[in-house]
Structures are given as structure tokens and as C-alpha cells.
Amino acid sequence: MCRPDHYGIYYEINPWMDRNRQADRTVALRQWEVLYQLLTETLRVQVELLPSVPGLPDLCFTANAGLLVDNLFVSSRFRYREREAEVPHFTQWFLERNYRVACLPEPALFEGEGDALFCGDRLFAGYRFRSELQAHHLLAELVGMPVHSLELADPWFYHLDTCLCPLQPGRAAYYPDAFSPASQRLLKETIPELFPVTEVEARRFACNAIVVGQAVVMNADCPHLARTLAEAGYQVHEVETTEFLKAGGGPKCLALFLDREAT
């Protein structure tokens, strides 16, 4: 994770972002701290911190840094130049800790865990708005496993982690209308138990949740999904990330998994 010390809406690269609707950094810092304390103190998650950097307002969205598969960190190649300067900071952090670091060959665009999520041993990857389908083939070769490609259909759900939340092997929450019809079919074929999310709650980024074992850290004011998860045996922890939603981010956007098996 990365403290949002320099967070703000300074450019517009997705439909959520509007420079005239600025985030309140004081509130954002408070919301981030609540999330951090919930993870570290209540759920006992070990969280490593990346130093914040002036001029990189989206560095706090560490899920977009890349994808970690075992000891290999596959670094992102961002679609928009506004985020390109984040890459050296992410890669340096992993290199200093003796991870293997790789990047997909140019010009393949790939935005890390924002667009690539494991559900059990299955790797799902989204494409169209930020990552490219071509990148999925290259990613599969690099990590040595098949990638299930999902076409995103709604620009408001521009990353896969905004509309799909893997819960455990064979189970996930998702917002159906964020996917093309073919990708909806693929999800139903590969994930036996899917919990559909309503449009209202999807726009609250209900799917952008952090899953730690049987605990699910999700945005507040998503009562339908919260009730569904509780009935399915999960411990639901609700947090506010209203200031990050202004940039198209939620709880999951603020965290990158270093140990996939722990989830």
C-alpha cells in the first residue's frame, strides 16, 4: 500500500475523474488510515508500504503496479502517460526485495492487478479500456499458465477489479453488465458460484473489495452484497472510500497482494 499524501484529481483518464470535483485529501487520508488499521490491526494482515512521491497522485492505487505470480513481478505498462512515471518506483521496490521483475514487450498494454485477478488457480484478465487482449497471450507465456480473457463493456468499469471480486476457488461476486455477453458466458462456465451485484451497488464499487480468507473488506452502503456475503459465511467489514471513488478507486485499488495463497 502507499499513503495518499499527494493524492488528488489532477487529470482525467477515466469517466469517474473530474478536475472540477476535487477530492478532499484530508478526508482521503483519514479513509486510507481506517482501511490500513482494519487490515493490520483487526485482520492481522502484514502490509508493506511504498513511499509516496510528489507529482504522482495515483501512486496510492498500488493494485495497478503489476501482478505478482510466485516470485515474479510482472510490471504494468500503463495506457496513459500520466501514470507512466509510477513504474520505476514500483519496480525498484520489488527489485530491492529480490523479486524477479519482468515487463511485457512493447507495445502491449497491461495494468496489473487492476486487470488481472486470480480465482483459485484460474487467472482472469480484463481488456478493452486499459489493458489489451494481446497482452493476455504474452502474460500467459510469461507466467506459464492460461489466462481467461474477459472483455469489459462499460467504460465506467474500466478495470476488471471494479466489476469482479474473486472470493475463493469457484466463487466470485460480479456485475454482469460490465462484461460483454461472451465474457458473461465464460464467467458462468468457469466460476460455478457467482453472486450478481446490482447496478446501484456496482457503481459504489461493491466488487472492488479486499478478500482475506473469510473476511471481505468492501465499500459501505452496499447492503445487498453485504447481506449475500454474510449469508454465505463471510465476515463483512465496511469502509468508506468516497474520496477515492472520485478517481475511480476503492479498497482493492489501494492494495496489491504480495502473497496470493494467503487469500
Side-chain angles (χ1 to χ4, degrees):
M1 296 179 70
C2 175
R3 280 179 54 86
D5 296 316
H6 307 288
Y7 169 65
I9 314 297
Y10 299 113
Y11 43 75
E12 299 171 8
I13 60 174
N14 68 55
W16 299 90
M17 303 178 89
D18 182 347
R19 282 171 291 183
N20 295 318
R21 192 170 68 104
Q22 191 54 247
D24 185 321
R25 188 178 299 162
T26 300
V27 176
L29 280 164
R30 185 164 62 246
Q31 292 178 345
W32 186 92
E33 287 287 355
V34 169
L35 174 62
Y36 177 77
Q37 291 173 9
L38 172 62
L39 291 172
T40 57
E41 297 177 12
T42 303
L43 300 181
R44 302 296 183 185
V45 174
Q46 181 180 344
V47 176
E48 303 287 345
L49 293 180
L50 177 81
S52 57
V53 178
L56 298 180
D58 283 347
L59 195 65
C60 59
F61 296 123
T62 54
N64 306 147
L67 177 70
L68 193 64
V69 181
D70 296 323
N71 195 50
L72 174 65
F73 176 68
V74 183
S75 179
S76 292
R77 177 172 285 110
F78 289 104
R79 178 175 293 274
Y80 294 102
R81 60 176 177 78
E82 287 87 348
R83 298 199 65 181
E84 289 175 354
E86 298 175 25
V87 175
H89 297 279
F90 289 130
T91 55
Q92 183 66 24
W93 191 93
F94 281 94
L95 286 170
E96 289 175 351
R97 287 154 182 80
N98 298 317
Y99 288 89
R100 292 183 298 131
V101 174
C103 186
L104 300 182
E106 292 188 44
L109 299 175
F110 170 65
E111 299 207 353
E113 215 170 63
D115 264 335
L117 298 169
F118 280 95
C119 188
D121 290 329
R122 293 182 182 270
L123 178 57
F124 293 87
Y127 71 95
R128 185 177 175 186
F129 299 112
R130 302 293 278 273
S131 299
E132 297 177 324
L133 181 60
Q134 174 194 11
H136 297 181
H137 305 305
L138 298 169
L139 179 64
E141 293 177 3
L142 187 61
V143 301
M145 66 177 64
V147 173
H148 300 281
S149 297
L150 299 170
E151 183 181 13
L152 303 179
D154 185 336
W156 288 90
F157 302 93
Y158 60 95
H159 272 155
L160 183 63
D161 69 358
T162 67
C163 49
L164 178 68
C165 177
L167 295 162
Q168 63 189 66
R171 178 185 276 182
Y174 80 127
Y175 175 49
D177 289 349
F179 300 92
S180 68
S183 292
Q184 291 183 40
R185 290 194 296 273
L186 176 60
L187 282 168
K188 292 175 182 177
E189 292 168 0
T190 52
I191 302 179
E193 193 171 5
L194 288 168
F195 299 144
V197 174
T198 66
E199 180 181 359
V200 171
E201 295 190 6
R203 290 187 175 275
R204 283 279 303 163
F205 270 24
C207 294
N208 196 250
I210 299 173
V211 181
V212 181
Q214 290 297 111
V216 180
V217 181
M218 60 179 291
N219 264 332
D221 298 326
C222 299
H224 180 268
L225 181 60
R227 183 169 58 252
T228 299
L229 293 176
E231 290 173 352
Y234 294 95
Q235 303 154 9
V236 177
H237 301 267
E238 297 184 59
V239 295
E240 289 281 1
T241 59
T242 56
E243 298 310 299
F244 298 102
L245 194 60
K246 294 176 181 178
K252 177 63 194 72
C253 293
L254 295 166
L256 175 72
F257 278 111
L258 300 177
D259 184 354
R260 182 169 57 87
E261 291 184 355
T263 67

